Amino acid sequence: MAWNLDSDRPIFAQIMERIQLDIISGVYKPGDKLPSVRELAGEAAVNPNTMQKAFAELERTGLVFSQRTTGRYITEDTNMIAELRNNIAQSKVIELISHMHKLGFTNEEILNLMKAILEKGEL
């Protein structure tokens, strides 16, 4: 099934985010080999050149590295992965708080609502 990509943002950036999420959530573990460009491009229903651009950018960040004859692999730097996970989480929390403030919630109301939801296990 094709990945759910939207036309509002560059496709290669959305692919990068998807692969980053797969890494930080454990779908791909440190040292795992990534599927080939063609394989993932087919799965995502995108042009292989777009997938290649996303892979190249992931390599530039150090999250992914190439072995010349065997493909691309996830970094074994667990600190880098943990830092990426934390940065993404912080970004999402800041985005949520910003939206809640726009709805008129105070910080205390936001915390109370979050606590109540977590305690009820409504996730």
Side-chain angles (χ1 to χ4, degrees):
M1 183 170 98
W3 294 2
N4 188 16
L5 304 170
D6 62 58
S7 59
D8 295 342
R9 299 180 310 119
I11 300 297
F12 87 93
Q14 294 176 68
I15 291 168
M16 284 181 56
E17 290 171 4
R18 166 75 181 260
I19 294 171
Q20 288 173 333
L21 287 174
D22 284 349
I23 292 168
I24 64 173
S25 68
V27 172
Y28 298 123
K29 304 208 179 332
D32 278 359
K33 183 178 181 193
L34 281 169
S36 71
V37 167
R38 291 203 180 280
E39 188 177 339
L40 273 183
E43 182 182 317
V46 299
N47 185 304
N49 291 333
T50 303
M51 187 62 68
Q52 176 61 37
K53 184 174 182 180
F55 273 21
E57 191 61 24
L58 288 167
E59 281 186 48
R60 191 187 66 71
T61 68
L63 195 59
V64 170
F65 65 94
S66 288
Q67 292 286 335
R68 187 172 193 130
T69 58
T70 60
R72 289 185 175 89
Y73 295 83
I74 306 302
T75 184
E76 293 183 6
D77 184 346
T78 55
N79 290 330
M80 175 187 274
I81 294 170
E83 185 177 330
L84 174 64
R85 181 176 182 253
N86 191 46
N87 290 342
I88 290 172
Q90 282 184 353
S91 173
K92 296 295 183 186
V93 169
I94 289 168
E95 185 179 329
L96 170 66
I97 292 170
S98 174
H99 286 299
M100 296 294 286
H101 283 158
K102 288 177 185 173
L103 291 172
F105 284 86
T106 65
N107 287 345
E108 186 177 344
E109 290 173 319
I110 294 168
L111 281 172
N112 289 336
L113 181 60
M114 292 178 81
K115 283 180 186 177
I117 291 170
L118 289 170
E119 287 171 0
K120 287 182 184 177
E122 293 183 359
L123 299 175

